[in-house]
Amino acid sequence: MSNFSDFKNGSLAQSNPVMQKIRNKTITAEKFASMVKSGDWIYGCMVGTDAVIPRKAVFQRLGEGPDKLQNIEMWAVDNAFLGTDFGLRYDKEGKYHIQHQGFIHKGTKDAIKQGWQGFDWYQWGWAMHMNYQFARFYNKDKSKRVADWGIATIAKPEGSYVNGSYGVSNFMITAKTCKKFVCEIREDHAWCEPGRNVNLHIDDVDYFIEVDLSDPDVQYPRLDERNIKPSETEKKIAQHILSIMRDGDTLQVGIGGIPTAVVLALADSDLKHLGVHTEMIGEWAFTLIENGIVDNSKKSIDQGRCAWAYAVPFMPERYFEFMHHNPMFAAYDINYTNNFLTLSMVDNFIGIMSFAKMDIRGQVVSSCVAGRPISNTGGQFQFTVGGQLSKGGRTVLAATSRTPDGKSRIVGMLDRGDVVDVPSQFVNYVATEYGIVNLMACTDAEKARKLISIAHPDDREELEKEAAKLGIKTKHWMFDVCPDRRYPTADDLKDHKHGYMDLVIAPKGVANPSS
């Protein structure tokens, strides 16, 4: 395999017209920054495709003077791991830039705590909000598009195409919302097989920038996810989730203690022929493939393939080993993986997600607690609803019963400033270390009673009092007469398909013969 230097200086550049074209478009990050004008809008991609070097070069030009940049607006779905301190480092007071950003992770939180003033949060949800933003930014006439620049990371070009690699989610949308598209080439990023909307012709890229992988700013934090050790509490939650799983289920999970606990529990279980249809792919899928648990053989769509939208290469060599030109992994844009219609066709889907807070009526808070943004909705709403539209589908919202500072996650009423990410009527299973309950189609009294039963034991008496204040009948005689509430089990619903998703094409009226 040739090195990127071959594109610029080697024999390939001398003999191959495609390589010559790439060579002619290759510039330095400093050259790119010199073309940016004050007042420009720069649209970044997503974790996995988050270009670092061109963004850093722009930050380094911020300031006063004729050769400096002011009033730069950056738009980012997520700036999770790379360059999260650029604003703090180069323009702490936000005098010359503003970064509009959806998701919030540790690097961003740390920068804000240290006084970064250039941050502007906005509510974000895959994939509907992606389309709302696309509609705002896109114009068929390229010169009239909203973003002056789009920047994204790609794998090393092959043939006449570039590949969105680990950030397929909105790679193509980024390319279509900007006047000029700049791609940062990383040799350590895998060429990920489609899916769709991952490959783009080199003629649609305006400039290429070479990345020096020895630069600390471009290195993802190394994390061997196999070494994550779930707590005993998280292991209990995982066992509750496994109790509603079946052979042939198709999984959506993320990263963290609870998802890792679920994966480890699955690896020790006798479940088999699981599939993957997920927003975020990663070590959890690699581990289950290696253990023979995931083979995608029973999937109703994308059979034999893991469908995914983005990845965070914490162990670059392992991600490259599994995903480089591996047809078992199908890279899709987020409008496919997180689409209600797609999810309705994924039989036996089970989505596992987390939450920050939930009231006893089942309203879910995940993005903004008491007016303080902590993350974002992401795909939670669409997976929670869409996953239940599949034949035999289930979705689980899981969390520890209490926060790290000892507060109950299940509360009587939400606080002022809490943002509801999933309305109560759409919530399916909820799990804590004290059990798993299904809220689907339950009354207020049934929901409250179930949620109180999985709250921390020391919080249940107070929650009962809160329910009484709200007029919720958790002590009604109906629970004594019919304690099981005649509720179907996960197995009972295995063959259930929502009538809502039986698509009907309404016939047109008969044409008027005299017209």
Side-chain angles (χ1 to χ4, degrees), residues 78 173 179 181 257 317 319 472 494:
D78 190 2
I173 282 182
K179 298 180 179 74
F181 191 39
E317 61 280 0
Y319 277 74
I472 299 175
K494 182 175 181 179

Side-chain angles (χ1 to χ4, degrees), residues 12 25-26 114 152 156 169 190 193 213 350 407 412 447 489:
L12 288 175
K25 290 185 175 185
T26 299
Q114 293 178 60
K156 188 169 69 174
S169 47
E193 295 293 327
L213 294 176
I350 179 163
K407 295 179 181 178
K447 288 179 181 179
T489 67

Side-chain angles (χ1 to χ4, degrees), residues 110-418:
D110 288 346
I112 293 171
K113 287 178 182 177
Q114 293 178 60
W116 176 37
Q117 298 296 310
F119 178 75
D120 177 33
W121 182 77
Y122 59 94
Q123 183 77 331
W124 180 272
W126 297 116
M128 290 302 292
H129 185 266
M130 181 82 260
N131 290 281
Y132 300 154
Q133 193 171 70
F134 181 56
R136 174 184 177 181
F137 278 39
Y138 176 73
N139 193 300
K140 189 173 182 180
D141 182 346
K142 192 174 180 180
S143 67
K144 295 181 180 178
R145 292 177 183 173
V146 167
D148 299 286
W149 301 93
I151 56 174
T153 299
I154 58 171
K156 188 169 69 174
E158 296 185 9
S160 297
Y161 288 86
V162 301
N163 180 272
S165 191
Y166 300 129
V168 189
S169 47
N170 66 326
F171 172 70
M172 202 64 70
I173 282 182
T174 301
K176 292 183 177 180
T177 53
C178 58
K179 298 180 179 74
K180 296 284 187 181
F181 191 39
V182 180
C183 286
E184 173 186 271
I185 300 175
R186 290 187 62 133
E187 290 189 47
D188 63 342
H189 275 36
W191 181 285
C192 297
E193 295 293 327
R196 70 176 194 187
N197 285 338
V198 60
N199 293 333
L200 182 69
H201 198 278
I202 61 170
D203 287 347
D204 293 318
V205 179
D206 294 284
Y207 299 104
F208 294 96
I209 293 176
E210 181 180 4
V211 173
D212 176 6
L213 294 176
S214 67
D215 183 344
D217 281 332
V218 305
Q219 296 171 10
Y220 282 93
R222 287 189 69 84
L223 169 66
D224 191 339
E225 298 158 74
R226 292 167 293 184
N227 293 332
I228 295 176
K229 303 297 183 185
S231 67
E232 291 303 313
T233 298
E234 291 164 338
K235 290 178 182 178
K236 289 178 182 178
I237 296 172
Q239 289 300 323
H240 293 315
I241 295 172
L242 256 65
S243 72
I244 64 165
M245 292 187 64
R246 307 181 291 255
D247 289 347
D249 278 348
T250 294
L251 289 168
Q252 136 69 28
V253 300
I255 188 174
I258 292 175
T260 300
V262 171
V263 169
L264 293 177
L266 283 170
D268 289 335
S269 75
D270 58 0
L271 289 172
K272 53 186 180 295
H273 303 309
L274 299 187
V276 171
H277 181 100
T278 188
E279 180 178 296
M280 181 179 178
I281 199 80
E283 178 56 46
W284 67 270
F286 308 156
T287 296
L288 293 179
I289 290 169
E290 287 181 329
N291 280 271
I293 307 295
V294 163
D295 61 15
N296 297 297
S297 64
K298 302 297 183 183
K299 290 181 71 178
S300 51
I301 61 173
D302 294 309
Q303 195 170 75
R305 310 189 76 189
C306 297
W308 63 280
Y310 69 90
V312 185
F314 292 116
M315 293 285 285
E317 61 280 0
R318 184 159 169 84
Y319 277 74
F320 195 93
E321 173 191 0
F322 264 90
M323 302 185 73
H324 186 63
H325 281 302
N326 186 348
M328 188 178 186
F329 294 87
Y332 282 104
D333 58 278
I334 211 81
N335 282 320
Y336 178 83
T337 58
N338 294 38
N339 190 305
F340 290 132
L341 296 177
T342 307
L343 292 167
S344 74
M345 296 185 288
V346 182
D347 291 353
N348 299 307
F349 177 85
I350 179 163
I352 302 166
M353 295 153 285
S354 62
F355 66 93
K357 182 191 291 188
M358 184 180 297
D359 73 6
I360 55 176
R361 286 190 159 104
Q363 298 186 102
V364 181
V365 177
S366 298
S367 62
C368 188
V369 177
R372 181 174 63 89
I374 60 170
S375 179
N376 227 303
T377 302
Q380 186 179 78
F381 175 76
Q382 289 194 252
F383 279 121
T384 299
V385 179
Q388 295 174 74
L389 301 180
S390 82
K391 180 181 177 181
R394 290 132 293 149
T395 52
V396 184
L397 291 162
T400 55
S401 63
R402 283 180 163 177
T403 65
D405 58 357
K407 295 179 181 178
S408 179
R409 292 192 189 275
I410 297 172
V411 298
M413 293 181 66
L414 300 182
D415 293 321
R416 182 179 181 182
D418 286 343

